[in-house]
């Protein structure tokens, strides 16, 4: 489950995107990858109807929310390894969304223009996810890169709660 997303009356809303995690302020709204994922989810919720009887639409919306949850949780991960696993999940969900869009286009569940627009957003997000995974895998940068460098901010220090 994701604490960053709340759905009320079919409207997509966000809880406060600034959290105190292990002594660090983490502001998701300033993270480019999170913004791209959020934009994709917003567009899916705008175009894919909220039809309770049609599981095809429910599946697409569920996958979109899971994508944003995985990206959000990767930002709050306690270690690089955990962040990489969560981003890899998001990468696979992004590929799943693209396959769903192809199927929906084939069976005319959604208009071609909508399918193409959502597919372009998925195509933009996919390399951004790959780049972030590669950055974390290579050990370049910090787990939270936009924070100024401080003493004692290694991943192991974050896990152990050291300052």
């Amino acid at each position: 489950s994701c604490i960053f997303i709340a759905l009320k009356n079919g409207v997509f809303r966000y809880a406060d995107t600034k959290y105190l995690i292990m002594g660090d302020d983490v502001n998701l709204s300033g993270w480019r990858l999170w913004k791209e994922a959020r934009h994709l989810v917003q567009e899916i919720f705008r175009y894919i109807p909220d039809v309770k009887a049609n599981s095809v639409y429910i599946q697409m919306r569920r996958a979109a929310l899971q994508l944003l949850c995985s990206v959000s949780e990767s930002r709050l991960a306690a270690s690089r390894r955990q962040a990489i696993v969560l981003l890899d999940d998001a990468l696979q969900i992004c590929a799943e969304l693209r396959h769903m869009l192809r199927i929906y286009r084939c069976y005319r569940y959604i208009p071609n223009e909508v399918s193409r627009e959502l597919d372009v957003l998925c195509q933009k997000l996919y390399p951004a996810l790959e780049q972030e995974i590669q950055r974390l895998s290579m050990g370049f940068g910090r787990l939270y890169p936009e924070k100024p460098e401080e003493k004692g901010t290694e991943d192991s220090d974050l896990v152990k709660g050291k300052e």
Side-chain angles (χ1 to χ4, degrees), residues 29-92:
S29 62
W31 190 25
R32 182 185 61 83
L33 184 62
W34 190 80
K35 285 181 184 179
E36 289 180 18
R38 182 185 64 184
H39 179 64
L40 173 63
V41 173
Q42 285 175 327
E43 292 301 303
I44 286 173
F45 270 70
R46 185 167 69 125
Y47 288 123
I48 304 299
D50 184 21
V51 181
K52 303 265 189 264
N54 195 334
S55 64
V56 169
Y57 299 130
I58 293 170
Q59 180 69 10
M60 170 79 64
R61 287 173 151 233
R62 182 218 49 85
L65 288 176
Q66 187 59 43
L67 172 78
L68 187 59
C69 287
S70 293
V71 169
S72 300
E73 289 173 21
S74 75
R75 186 58 162 191
L76 305 173
S79 68
R80 284 184 198 282
R81 174 179 269 169
Q82 185 181 16
I84 291 167
V85 167
L86 289 164
L87 287 172
D88 188 56
D89 289 346
L91 193 68
Q92 300 309 315

Side-chain angles (χ1 to χ4, degrees), residues 121-150:
L121 292 174
C122 286
Q123 287 176 12
K124 285 175 57 179
L125 182 60
Y126 198 88
L129 287 165
E130 286 180 323
Q131 183 180 10
E132 186 67 11
I133 290 169
Q134 183 178 16
R135 184 188 72 79
L136 290 171
S137 297
M138 301 298 285
F140 294 127
R142 299 172 34 143
L143 195 56
Y144 309 113
E146 71 275 345
K147 248 188 122 161
E149 290 294 324
E150 295 175 353

Side-chain angles (χ1 to χ4, degrees), residues 12-34:
F12 195 65
R13 298 174 195 247
Y14 301 97
D16 185 12
T17 57
K18 188 174 182 182
Y19 294 92
L20 186 67
I21 304 296
M22 288 186 248
D24 289 334
D25 273 335
V26 178
N27 188 353
L28 295 172
S29 62
W31 190 25
R32 182 185 61 83
L33 184 62
W34 190 80

